[in-house]
Amino acid sequence: MSDLPWYNRGLFSSLNLRQKTLLTIALTGLLLLVIFISGMMINANLPTDFSIKMQPPSFEHIFGTDWMGRDMFIRTIKGLSLSIMIGIGASIISSIIATILAFVASINKFCDSFVSWLIDLFASIPHILLIMMISIALGKGAFGVIMAVAFSHWVNLTRVLRAEVLQINTSEYVALSKRFGKSKLWIAKEHILPLVLSQIFVGTLLVFPHAIMHESSVTFLGFGLSPHEPAIGIILSESMTYLAMGAWWLAFFPGLALLIVVLLFDIIGDNLKRLFDPSQANN
Amino acid sequence: MELKANNISFSYNKRRQILKDFSLSVDSNRIIGLMGDSGSGKSTLCKILAGYLTHYSGEVTLDGNKIPDRGFYPVQLIFQHPEKTMNPKWKMEKVLNESWTPPKELRDTFGLKDQWLTRWPNELSGGELQRFSILRAINPETKFIIADEISTMLDAVTQVQIWEKLINHAKANNIGILAVSHDPELLEVICDDILFFDEINNL
């Protein structure tokens, strides 16, 4: 038994690598879904109870309570679900932008250099600055933040997809398809899209952690969501006032929870990438 | 019908010219063999004849007319490596039907098993894939076939079998074939006439 690698021993020894990857994705997705749905069902206007304000973590309030006596665990979950929602919106919009631009780049040389120029332009502006500007221009709030994050995060995916589409376009099967009399649109839809679909999917999921992090930071800086929406960024920036008074739990647990959610999305993205990798498709 | 190449010159870069004033004529009821050394420019010529390369000087005509670039191209090239000419994310059925839907008898003639149709390209061998390539190329609209070393991955017996079936089909449907190879024995067996690449290339 000892010559088996570690991942083929113990509890999950009967599963193969593919099943294990699927299991990881399913469990992680379930956890995120539970956070998201339970957060959605929580009413944002939590009852305030000043008799239990500023309590450190206990079994009754595992994340402690804030200066208005609100339970920090419930606020954190609510904040996380808000972050996840913004992350979903932003990453879907940014991958749509990336896909469209990548296909536009494949039309002709002029379009290609235009898209490359656009990529360079957006890549040269610091993300956080761009997000702040777009967010303010669109009137802050959830909509502003989603748009801001979406319009600053399409760059990397576009670069990857553009290269991928270029490579597929020079392949022999695309050249042959043209000789069979198929149109460019048909080739884009039938040949190229199925080949880049997995890239788009993984790209969307890998934008997610960035989107959540940037949403929190821009909210923390005061350019994002408004204070009555209990996003993680708001919670963190409010806790700054009380941190000096020793209320460490106000920042520690929400921050940790945010980190965990980001990591969960990263795990899903990485596992999906492994699953979709064509060289390992038959494992 | 007659496929003619008139005074074709081509170079990938300025330093080295590949083709110079190359002329060639293939009649649709004959099988012409073209023999040349590796790297002499045979495949480049094939790509020009089948419309894959366009920045050459000279002209390729079909019965005296230029071949329109839109729609199904009547000169079909069969590549040396079939696995590169198939989308790895397509089932073989879709790969085959991209050109046309060959009847069952024709699939049987070329030894195409029905169970292959539900497979992915990377699950079949080179010889099996090449049968698909050939079947794709003999679309009813095809007038000429350029066969660029299509049987190098097959053993001698299978080579002859596949060539025999392709030639029978071509003769019956009045399709001309230009067989390109560096294997003199093979061309000797299958061709009506053999041309030597270096002799007609004016370099």
Side-chain angles (χ1 to χ4, degrees):
Chain A
M1 278 302 279
S2 59
D3 54 342
L4 280 173
W6 62 269
Y7 47 83
N8 277 345
R9 270 180 266 153
L11 187 57
F12 298 111
S13 56
S14 62
L15 301 175
N16 64 25
L17 199 57
R18 182 189 167 83
Q19 286 165 326
K20 255 177 265 183
T21 313
L22 282 172
L23 190 71
T24 314
I25 293 171
L27 286 178
T28 326
L30 188 71
L31 190 57
L32 288 170
L33 203 67
V34 166
I35 293 175
F36 180 62
I37 291 176
S38 52
M40 279 287 129
M41 291 193 295
I42 296 169
N43 186 354
N45 302 315
L46 288 177
T48 52
D49 182 355
F50 287 96
S51 63
I52 51 163
K53 69 172 186 173
M54 296 297 261
Q55 285 189 351
S58 63
F59 283 114
E60 210 169 324
H61 303 285
I62 53 172
F63 283 11
T65 58
D66 66 0
W67 62 98
M68 296 205 315
R70 292 176 294 191
D71 185 81
M72 281 310 286
F73 178 69
I74 294 177
R75 291 195 79 201
T76 306
I77 296 288
K78 179 75 190 166
L80 285 178
S81 82
L82 212 65
S83 292
I84 292 175
M85 194 190 77
I86 289 172
I88 290 175
S91 46
I92 287 179
I93 293 175
S94 71
S95 18
I96 291 175
I97 296 173
T99 313
I100 293 174
L101 282 178
F103 277 100
V104 165
S106 73
I107 294 175
N108 59 30
K109 272 223 168 80
F110 174 77
C111 291
D112 187 47
S113 43
F114 174 73
V115 170
S116 305
W117 172 78
L118 216 59
I119 289 174
D120 289 342
L121 178 72
F122 272 81
S124 63
I125 309 171
H127 271 176
I128 202 80
L129 190 69
L130 194 65
I131 292 175
M132 270 161 29
M133 288 194 309
I134 299 176
S135 174
I136 291 172
L138 290 175
K140 296 192 190 176
F143 176 72
V145 173
I146 288 177
M147 283 304 166
V149 175
F151 275 96
S152 56
H153 281 79
W154 54 267
V155 176
N156 283 333
L157 186 58
T158 310
R159 199 178 275 159
V160 172
L161 287 181
R162 175 184 159 268
E164 196 84 358
V165 171
L166 271 183
Q167 195 203 334
I168 296 170
N169 252 330
T170 56
S171 70
E172 285 182 357
Y173 47 86
V174 168
L176 190 68
S177 199
K178 280 181 195 151
R179 296 297 107 200
F180 285 150
K182 305 293 185 194
S183 68
K184 270 192 170 179
L185 199 67
W186 192 91
I187 290 173
K189 193 164 68 81
E190 299 287 329
H191 271 292
I192 301 174
L193 198 60
L195 283 168
V196 295
L197 208 57
S198 57
Q199 293 269 12
I200 295 174
F201 213 65
V202 173
T204 310
L205 269 159
L206 289 180
V207 165
F208 225 104
H210 285 264
I212 292 176
M213 286 299 230
H214 274 126
E215 176 268 320
S216 299
S217 45
V218 80
T219 305
F220 178 80
L221 292 172
F223 300 102
L225 301 175
S226 49
H228 65 266
E229 293 169 294
I232 295 289
I234 295 283
I235 294 174
L236 289 178
S237 66
E238 281 174 349
S239 72
M240 288 295 284
T241 329
Y242 303 92
L243 214 51
M245 294 157 58
W248 55 273
W249 60 89
L250 290 182
F252 179 74
F253 289 112
L256 191 69
L258 179 69
L259 203 71
I260 290 172
V261 165
V262 166
L263 272 177
L264 288 179
F265 273 112
D266 215 42
I267 290 172
I268 293 190
D270 278 345
N271 278 298
L272 271 183
K273 195 154 77 180
R274 210 181 303 164
L275 205 61
F276 282 140
D277 191 340
S279 63
Q280 301 182 4
N282 290 335
N283 284 0
Chain B
M1 288 196 123
E2 192 184 25
L3 175 70
K4 265 190 103 130
N6 287 329
N7 297 324
I8 292 196
S9 298
F10 181 84
S11 60
Y12 285 105
N13 54 41
K14 284 181 187 123
R15 266 174 287 141
R16 182 169 164 246
Q17 193 160 17
I18 312 276
L19 300 171
K20 194 181 171 203
D21 295 333
F22 195 101
S23 296
L24 180 83
S25 161
V26 188
D27 202 69
S28 64
N29 51 29
R30 276 161 68 83
I31 291 145
I32 307 290
L34 184 64
M35 211 170 83
D37 297 330
S38 304
S40 59
K42 301 190 299 288
S43 288
T44 306
L45 176 74
C46 292
K47 283 182 180 163
I48 288 174
L49 290 176
Y52 287 85
L53 294 171
T54 47
H55 51 286
Y56 57 88
S57 64
E59 54 176 5
V60 178
T61 58
L62 194 63
D63 270 353
N65 303 318
K66 279 216 139 192
I67 305 167
D69 197 42
R70 289 183 150 264
F72 190 88
Y73 208 77
V75 182
Q76 284 292 323
L77 174 61
I78 304 177
F79 287 80
Q80 183 174 2
H81 302 289
E83 66 276 9
K84 284 194 205 159
T85 65
M86 291 165 189
N87 189 325
K89 291 267 158 120
W90 280 17
K91 289 265 172 75
M92 290 316 295
E93 189 162 18
K94 197 173 178 190
V95 170
L96 185 62
N97 292 346
E98 189 184 6
S99 166
W100 66 308
T101 314
K104 174 92 174 97
E105 309 87 69
L106 208 55
R107 294 210 303 266
D108 288 340
T109 316
F110 282 88
L112 220 74
K113 298 202 181 91
D114 277 344
Q115 73 225 38
W116 294 348
L117 291 175
T118 53
R119 302 280 195 83
W120 305 103
N122 64 349
E123 292 172 340
L124 298 180
S125 73
E128 288 164 348
L129 291 177
Q130 195 63 294
R131 290 165 211 253
F132 279 92
S133 298
I134 294 170
L135 217 52
R136 280 197 301 185
I138 52 175
N139 189 303
E141 292 178 58
T142 306
K143 303 282 181 280
F144 282 93
I145 284 178
I146 318 284
D148 184 9
E149 308 250 20
I150 61 167
S151 56
T152 38
M153 78 286 288
L154 304 169
D155 60 274
V157 178
T158 325
Q159 274 194 26
V160 173
Q161 274 178 356
I162 284 199
W163 267 111
E164 199 183 310
K165 283 157 190 163
L166 178 59
I167 288 168
N168 285 341
H169 184 85
K171 289 254 149 105
N173 293 279
N174 203 22
I175 296 175
I177 295 183
L178 180 71
V180 180
S181 177
H182 57 239
D183 181 3
E185 283 97 2
L186 177 74
L187 293 182
E188 207 75 54
V189 175
I190 60 171
C191 296
D192 300 328
D193 199 0
I194 297 182
L195 302 172
F196 290 90
F197 190 85
D198 290 333
E199 287 175 15
I200 39 179
N201 194 8
N202 301 306
L203 265 182

